[in-house]
Amino acid sequence: MHGRVIRYIFTFFLFLAGFAFEGKAQFKEEAFQQTYNDNADSTAVADTADKLFSFKEWGRGIAHKQEIEIGTMFAGSVFAPGTAQIYNRDYWKLPIVYGGIGALAGTGGYYLHQYKKTKKAFETFELDKLAFETETGTPYPHEAPVVDMRAKRMGTWLMAGAGLVYWGSMMDGLVCYQSDKEPLPGRATLYSLLLPGLGQIYNGELFKVPIYWGGLLVSGHLLMNYNSNYKRFKRIHNEASSTDPEVKDNVPIDAETAKWYRDVYRRYRDYSILATVAVYVLQIIDANVFAYMHDFEVTDDISMKVEPAVISPYNEYAMHPGAVTNPVGNAVGMRVGIRF
């Protein structure tokens, strides 16, 4: 279980690294604009969206030579913890970040190393015991070494603590980032990335939090349940397929039935993974979109206006093929206008 925790933490931060580059474009309003200027036009470069990530821009921001986008700051802090605090001029937090990560990760690594040493000693003992008893036919005279499971637990929790400090440094950087625009779409998006539902809270949409958390809890519960049953029937199938009669006779169902249940629960487990990822990604998108649309208002004065109108012909457009040879006169019709 502790090994899975480490893998989950590593996968999460690997996802952060990928998202930091792939998702940065949406934190800029220029990403929603297009330019049709010719490449030779001097304004063409200025009108296009910025690069996804620029080490030069990030470096200048850390040196306080220019302001940088929140996405750039976050992307840099993913690979260099503490740089968000440098950009925000919160220098007093650096010893907490570096000291916390270094002390917890170093101590956790020491405990995990101790666990691996005792585990390796136990495995070596088992091999020596098997060889001795096979050769001599007498019991092995030495006692088995104890595997230090306490060191494994301590190491796992300390490494998780280092990950928590790392996560906290990125969250602190987002909170302390200075911006004239509130809510800031980039902040809302990254809030939801680091903690599901936080982006909705930041946008003032508290009613959405139970919806997304409910979806994550339900899909996560189903994922663990289906995964547990999948492993159970996988073990039963392996035992039912064993060539050892003693093992095979203790299995309550035959191999074919166990295989059918194993495949069903594996498929449902995969669906649950997709559902969990879908809800997680959806709440990130929701936070980003509604932060952008925060200033969009629909007036209560909704009305529709219908009036006569003179419809201009196509003659004035050069693209119309009959504009010169076969001009068309004005047409009278109705114009409908909707105000909202």
Side-chain angles (χ1 to χ4, degrees):
M1 177 178 178
H2 298 285
R4 289 201 302 272
V5 172
I6 295 296
R7 289 197 297 271
Y8 292 155
I9 294 174
F10 175 78
T11 304
F12 174 72
F13 289 120
L14 186 64
F15 173 72
L16 285 183
F19 185 87
F21 284 102
E22 298 298 330
K24 181 179 178 293
Q26 66 179 314
F27 306 146
K28 292 179 174 291
E29 293 183 1
E30 294 89 335
F32 293 88
Q33 300 175 354
Q34 299 184 34
T35 177
Y36 300 95
N37 295 351
D38 186 82
N39 291 333
D41 192 341
S42 60
T43 62
V45 176
D47 290 344
T48 57
D50 292 349
K51 297 179 181 179
L52 290 181
F53 182 80
S54 170
F55 282 103
K56 181 179 179 180
E57 177 188 354
W58 175 65
R60 288 180 61 84
I62 297 304
H64 302 296
K65 295 181 179 179
Q66 71 175 73
E67 294 183 358
I68 59 177
E69 299 287 339
I70 191 171
T72 300
M73 184 196 69
F74 176 79
S77 64
V78 169
F79 295 99
T83 54
Q85 283 68 37
I86 296 175
Y87 177 75
N88 293 329
R89 300 181 187 273
D90 293 330
Y91 303 109
W92 63 273
K93 297 178 182 178
L94 294 177
I96 300 175
V97 174
Y98 294 132
I101 294 176
L104 291 171
T107 309
Y110 168 78
Y111 276 109
L112 290 176
H113 178 68
Q114 292 298 113
Y115 160 72
K116 290 179 180 179
K117 283 177 57 178
T118 58
K119 183 180 179 183
K120 185 176 181 181
F122 179 79
E123 292 172 349
T124 302
F125 169 83
E126 288 293 314
L127 293 175
D128 293 342
K129 177 182 177 182
L130 177 63
F132 180 84
E133 292 180 351
T134 302
E135 182 179 352
T136 63
T138 58
Y140 196 55
H142 303 289
E143 294 184 1
V146 178
V147 179
D148 193 350
M149 299 302 298
R150 177 179 174 275
K152 180 182 179 181
R153 290 191 298 270
M154 287 291 297
T156 301
W157 284 112
L158 287 169
M159 294 297 289
L164 185 62
V165 175
Y166 172 64
W167 174 88
S169 70
M170 292 186 292
M171 181 65 77
D172 173 77
L174 298 179
V175 172
C176 297
Y177 179 84
Q178 299 295 322
S179 174
D180 296 332
K181 181 180 179 181
E182 291 294 341
L184 184 64
R187 199 197 307 270
T189 306
L190 294 171
Y191 274 169
S192 287
L193 175 69
L194 292 178
L195 183 62
L198 187 57
Q200 283 70 32
I201 297 175
Y202 172 68
N203 289 338
E205 300 174 323
L206 296 177
F207 69 94
K208 293 182 179 179
V209 177
I211 298 174
Y212 287 119
W213 269 99
L216 289 172
L217 289 174
V218 170
S219 56
H221 170 74
L222 293 176
L223 170 59
M224 291 187 292
N225 182 54
Y226 291 140
N227 187 55
S228 176
N229 281 286
Y230 161 69
K231 291 182 177 180
R232 173 191 173 197
F233 282 100
K234 180 181 179 181
R235 174 182 55 80
I236 293 175
H237 175 261
N238 292 339
E239 293 176 353
S241 304
S242 175
T243 56
D244 188 348
E246 294 184 2
V247 175
K248 189 173 183 178
D249 292 341
N250 293 326
V251 179
I253 58 178
D254 58 89
E256 281 299 318
T257 303
K259 181 178 181 299
W260 186 85
Y261 279 109
R262 181 201 65 183
D263 294 343
V264 167
Y265 281 115
R266 179 172 57 188
R267 183 166 62 252
Y268 287 164
R269 179 203 61 181
D270 295 343
Y271 290 157
S272 300
I273 293 174
L274 292 176
T276 304
V277 173
V279 175
Y280 179 68
V281 173
L282 180 61
Q283 59 92 28
I284 295 176
I285 296 174
D286 173 89
N288 178 268
V289 170
F290 281 89
Y292 269 113
M293 297 179 62
H294 184 266
D295 295 331
F296 180 79
E297 295 183 359
V298 178
T299 178
D300 294 333
D301 184 14
I302 301 176
S303 60
M304 182 176 69
K305 185 177 183 180
V306 181
E307 60 183 359
V310 177
I311 302 175
S312 300
Y314 289 123
N315 300 338
E316 58 192 75
Y317 301 111
M319 67 183 69
H320 181 55
V324 177
T325 60
N326 186 24
V328 179
N330 293 338
V332 178
M334 302 297 293
R335 178 167 57 194
V336 178
I338 301 177
R339 179 180 179 183
F340 60 93

Coordinates of all heavy atoms in Angstrom, one line a residue, residues 10 12-24 52-55 58 62 71-85 97-98 101 166-167 169-170:
F10 N 4.0 10.5 -7.1 CA 4.9 10.7 -8.3 C 4.1 11.0 -9.5 O 4.4 11.9 -10.3 CB 5.9 9.5 -8.5 CG 6.7 9.7 -9.7 CD1 7.9 10.5 -9.7 CD2 6.4 9.0 -10.9 CE1 8.7 10.6 -10.8 CE2 7.2 9.1 -12.0 CZ 8.4 9.9 -11.9
F12 N 1.1 12.2 -9.8 CA 0.4 13.5 -9.7 C 1.3 14.6 -10.0 O 1.0 15.5 -10.8 CB -0.1 13.6 -8.2 CG -0.7 15.0 -8.0 CD1 -1.9 15.4 -8.5 CD2 0.0 15.9 -7.2 CE1 -2.5 16.6 -8.3 CE2 -0.6 17.2 -6.9 CZ -1.8 17.5 -7.5
F13 N 2.6 14.6 -9.5 CA 3.5 15.7 -9.8 C 4.0 15.6 -11.2 O 4.3 16.6 -11.8 CB 4.6 15.7 -8.8 CG 4.2 16.1 -7.4 CD1 4.4 15.3 -6.3 CD2 3.7 17.3 -7.2 CE1 4.0 15.7 -5.1 CE2 3.3 17.8 -5.9 CZ 3.4 16.9 -4.9
L14 N 4.1 14.4 -11.8 CA 4.4 14.3 -13.2 C 3.3 14.9 -14.1 O 3.6 15.6 -15.1 CB 4.6 12.8 -13.6 CG 5.1 12.5 -15.0 CD1 6.5 13.1 -15.2 CD2 5.1 11.0 -15.3
F15 N 2.1 14.7 -13.6 CA 0.9 15.4 -14.3 C 1.0 16.9 -14.2 O 0.7 17.6 -15.2 CB -0.4 14.9 -13.7 CG -1.6 15.6 -14.3 CD1 -2.1 15.4 -15.5 CD2 -2.3 16.5 -13.5 CE1 -3.2 16.0 -16.0 CE2 -3.4 17.1 -13.9 CZ -3.8 16.9 -15.2
L16 N 1.4 17.4 -13.1 CA 1.6 18.8 -12.9 C 2.6 19.3 -13.9 O 2.4 20.4 -14.5 CB 2.1 19.1 -11.5 CG 1.0 19.0 -10.3 CD1 1.7 19.5 -9.0 CD2 -0.2 19.9 -10.6
A17 N 3.7 18.6 -14.0 CA 4.8 19.0 -14.9 C 4.3 19.1 -16.3 O 4.5 20.1 -17.1 CB 6.0 18.1 -14.9
G18 N 3.5 18.1 -16.8 CA 3.0 18.2 -18.1 C 2.0 19.3 -18.3 O 1.9 20.0 -19.3
F19 N 1.1 19.4 -17.3 CA 0.1 20.5 -17.4 C 0.7 21.9 -17.4 O 0.2 22.8 -18.1 CB -0.9 20.3 -16.2 CG -2.1 21.3 -16.3 CD1 -3.2 20.9 -17.0 CD2 -2.0 22.5 -15.7 CE1 -4.3 21.8 -17.1 CE2 -3.1 23.4 -15.8 CZ -4.2 23.0 -16.5
A20 N 1.8 22.0 -16.7 CA 2.4 23.3 -16.6 C 2.8 23.8 -18.0 O 2.7 25.0 -18.3 CB 3.6 23.3 -15.7
F21 N 3.2 22.9 -18.9 CA 3.6 23.3 -20.2 C 2.4 23.3 -21.2 O 2.2 24.3 -21.9 CB 4.7 22.4 -20.8 CG 6.0 22.7 -20.2 CD1 6.5 21.9 -19.2 CD2 6.8 23.8 -20.6 CE1 7.8 22.1 -18.7 CE2 8.0 24.0 -20.1 CZ 8.5 23.2 -19.1
E22 N 1.6 22.3 -21.2 CA 0.5 22.1 -22.1 C -0.7 23.1 -21.8 O -1.4 23.5 -22.7 CB 0.0 20.7 -22.1 CG 1.1 19.7 -22.6 CD 1.5 19.9 -24.0 OE1 0.7 20.4 -24.8 OE2 2.7 19.6 -24.3
G23 N -0.9 23.4 -20.6 CA -2.0 24.2 -20.2 C -1.8 25.7 -20.1 O -2.7 26.4 -19.8
K24 N -0.5 26.1 -20.3 CA -0.2 27.5 -20.0 C -0.9 28.5 -21.0 O -1.2 29.6 -20.6 CB 1.3 27.7 -20.0 CG 1.7 29.2 -19.7 CD 3.1 29.3 -19.7 CE 3.5 30.8 -19.4 NZ 3.1 31.7 -20.5
L52 N 4.4 28.8 -25.1 CA 3.9 28.1 -24.0 C 4.7 28.4 -22.7 O 4.2 28.6 -21.6 CB 3.8 26.6 -24.3 CG 2.7 26.2 -25.3 CD1 2.7 24.7 -25.4 CD2 1.3 26.7 -24.9
F53 N 6.0 28.3 -22.9 CA 6.9 28.6 -21.8 C 8.2 29.1 -22.3 O 8.8 28.6 -23.3 CB 7.1 27.3 -20.9 CG 8.0 27.5 -19.7 CD1 7.5 28.0 -18.6 CD2 9.4 27.2 -19.8 CE1 8.2 28.3 -17.5 CE2 10.1 27.4 -18.6 CZ 9.6 27.9 -17.5
S54 N 8.7 30.1 -21.6 CA 10.0 30.7 -22.0 C 10.9 30.8 -20.8 O 10.6 31.5 -19.8 CB 9.7 32.2 -22.6 OG 11.0 32.8 -22.8
F55 N 12.0 30.1 -20.9 CA 13.0 30.2 -19.8 C 13.5 31.6 -19.6 O 13.8 32.0 -18.5 CB 14.1 29.2 -20.0 CG 13.7 27.7 -19.7 CD1 13.4 26.9 -20.7 CD2 13.7 27.3 -18.4 CE1 13.1 25.6 -20.5 CE2 13.3 26.0 -18.1 CZ 13.0 25.1 -19.2
W58 N 10.9 33.5 -17.8 CA 10.8 33.1 -16.4 C 12.1 33.6 -15.6 O 11.9 34.0 -14.5 CB 10.8 31.5 -16.4 CG 10.8 30.9 -15.0 CD1 9.9 31.0 -14.0 CD2 11.9 30.1 -14.5 NE1 10.3 30.3 -12.9 CE2 11.5 29.7 -13.2 CE3 13.1 29.6 -15.0 CZ2 12.3 28.9 -12.4 CZ3 13.9 28.8 -14.2 CH2 13.5 28.4 -12.9
I62 N 12.1 36.0 -12.3 CA 12.8 35.7 -11.0 C 13.8 36.7 -10.6 O 14.0 37.0 -9.4 CB 13.4 34.3 -11.1 CG1 12.4 33.2 -11.4 CG2 14.2 33.9 -9.9 CD1 11.3 33.1 -10.4
G71 N 0.9 31.5 -15.1 CA 1.3 30.2 -15.6 C 2.7 30.0 -15.8 O 3.3 28.9 -15.5
T72 N 3.5 31.0 -16.1 CA 4.9 30.9 -16.3 C 5.6 30.7 -14.9 O 6.5 29.9 -14.7 CB 5.5 32.2 -16.9 OG1 4.9 32.3 -18.2 CG2 7.0 32.1 -17.0
M73 N 5.1 31.5 -13.9 CA 5.6 31.3 -12.5 C 5.3 29.9 -12.0 O 6.2 29.3 -11.4 CB 4.9 32.3 -11.6 CG 5.5 32.3 -10.2 SD 4.4 33.2 -9.0 CE 3.0 32.1 -9.0
F74 N 4.1 29.4 -12.3 CA 3.8 28.0 -11.8 C 4.6 27.0 -12.5 O 5.1 26.1 -11.8 CB 2.3 27.8 -12.0 CG 1.8 26.4 -11.7 CD1 1.6 26.1 -10.3 CD2 1.7 25.4 -12.6 CE1 1.2 24.8 -10.0 CE2 1.3 24.1 -12.3 CZ 1.0 23.8 -11.0
A75 N 4.8 27.1 -13.8 CA 5.6 26.1 -14.5 C 7.0 26.1 -14.0 O 7.6 25.0 -13.9 CB 5.6 26.4 -16.0
G76 N 7.6 27.2 -13.7 CA 8.9 27.3 -13.2 C 9.0 26.7 -11.8 O 10.0 25.9 -11.5
S77 N 8.0 26.9 -10.9 CA 8.0 26.4 -9.6 C 7.8 24.9 -9.5 O 8.2 24.3 -8.5 CB 7.0 27.1 -8.7 OG 5.7 26.8 -9.2
V78 N 7.2 24.3 -10.6 CA 7.1 22.9 -10.6 C 8.5 22.2 -10.6 O 8.7 21.2 -9.9 CB 6.3 22.4 -11.8 CG1 6.3 20.9 -12.0 CG2 4.8 22.8 -11.6
F79 N 9.4 22.8 -11.4 CA 10.7 22.2 -11.6 C 11.7 22.8 -10.6 O 12.8 22.2 -10.4 CB 11.2 22.3 -13.0 CG 10.4 21.6 -14.0 CD1 9.4 22.2 -14.7 CD2 10.5 20.2 -14.2 CE1 8.6 21.5 -15.6 CE2 9.7 19.5 -15.1 CZ 8.8 20.2 -15.8
A80 N 11.5 24.0 -10.1 CA 12.4 24.6 -9.2 C 11.6 25.2 -8.0 O 11.2 26.3 -8.0 CB 13.1 25.7 -9.9
P81 N 11.3 24.3 -7.0 CA 10.5 24.8 -5.9 C 11.2 26.0 -5.2 O 12.4 26.0 -5.1 CB 10.5 23.5 -5.0 CG 10.8 22.4 -5.9 CD 11.7 22.9 -6.9
G82 N 10.3 26.9 -4.8 CA 10.8 28.1 -4.1 C 10.9 29.3 -5.0 O 11.0 30.4 -4.5
T83 N 11.0 29.1 -6.4 CA 11.1 30.2 -7.3 C 9.8 31.1 -7.2 O 9.9 32.3 -7.5 CB 11.4 29.8 -8.7 OG1 10.4 28.8 -9.1 CG2 12.7 29.1 -8.8
A84 N 8.7 30.5 -7.0 CA 7.5 31.3 -6.8 C 7.6 32.3 -5.6 O 7.2 33.5 -5.7 CB 6.2 30.5 -6.7
Q85 N 8.2 31.8 -4.6 CA 8.4 32.7 -3.4 C 9.4 33.8 -3.7 O 9.3 34.9 -3.2 CB 8.9 31.9 -2.2 CG 7.8 31.1 -1.5 CD 7.3 29.9 -2.4 OE1 8.0 29.3 -3.1 NE2 6.0 29.7 -2.3
V97 N 10.6 26.1 2.8 CA 10.4 25.2 1.6 C 11.6 24.3 1.4 O 11.4 23.1 1.4 CB 10.2 26.1 0.3 CG1 10.2 25.2 -0.9 CG2 9.0 26.9 0.4
Y98 N 12.8 24.8 1.3 CA 14.0 24.0 1.1 C 14.3 23.1 2.3 O 14.6 21.9 2.1 CB 15.2 24.9 0.7 CG 15.0 25.6 -0.6 CD1 15.3 27.0 -0.6 CD2 14.6 24.9 -1.7 CE1 15.2 27.6 -1.8 CE2 14.5 25.6 -2.9 CZ 14.8 27.0 -3.0 OH 14.6 27.6 -4.2
I101 N 11.4 20.3 2.5 CA 11.6 19.3 1.5 C 12.9 18.5 1.7 O 12.9 17.2 1.7 CB 11.6 19.9 0.1 CG1 10.2 20.5 -0.2 CG2 11.9 18.9 -0.9 CD1 10.2 21.2 -1.5
Y166 N 6.2 20.5 -0.8 CA 6.3 20.8 -2.3 C 5.0 21.4 -2.8 O 5.0 22.4 -3.5 CB 6.8 19.6 -3.0 CG 6.9 19.8 -4.5 CD1 7.7 20.7 -5.1 CD2 6.1 19.0 -5.4 CE1 7.8 20.8 -6.5 CE2 6.1 19.1 -6.7 CZ 7.0 20.1 -7.3 OH 7.1 20.2 -8.7
W167 N 3.9 20.7 -2.6 CA 2.6 21.1 -3.0 C 2.2 22.4 -2.3 O 1.7 23.3 -3.0 CB 1.6 20.0 -2.6 CG 0.1 20.4 -2.8 CD1 -0.6 20.2 -4.0 CD2 -0.8 21.0 -1.9 NE1 -1.9 20.6 -3.8 CE2 -2.0 21.1 -2.6 CE3 -0.7 21.4 -0.6 CZ2 -3.1 21.7 -1.9 CZ3 -1.8 22.0 0.0 CH2 -3.0 22.1 -0.7
S169 N 4.2 24.8 -1.4 CA 5.0 25.9 -2.0 C 4.4 26.4 -3.2 O 4.4 27.6 -3.5 CB 6.5 25.4 -2.2 OG 6.5 24.5 -3.3
M170 N 3.8 25.5 -4.1 CA 3.2 25.9 -5.3 C 1.9 26.6 -5.0 O 1.5 27.6 -5.6 CB 2.9 24.7 -6.2 CG 4.2 24.1 -6.8 SD 3.9 22.8 -7.9 CE 3.2 21.5 -6.9

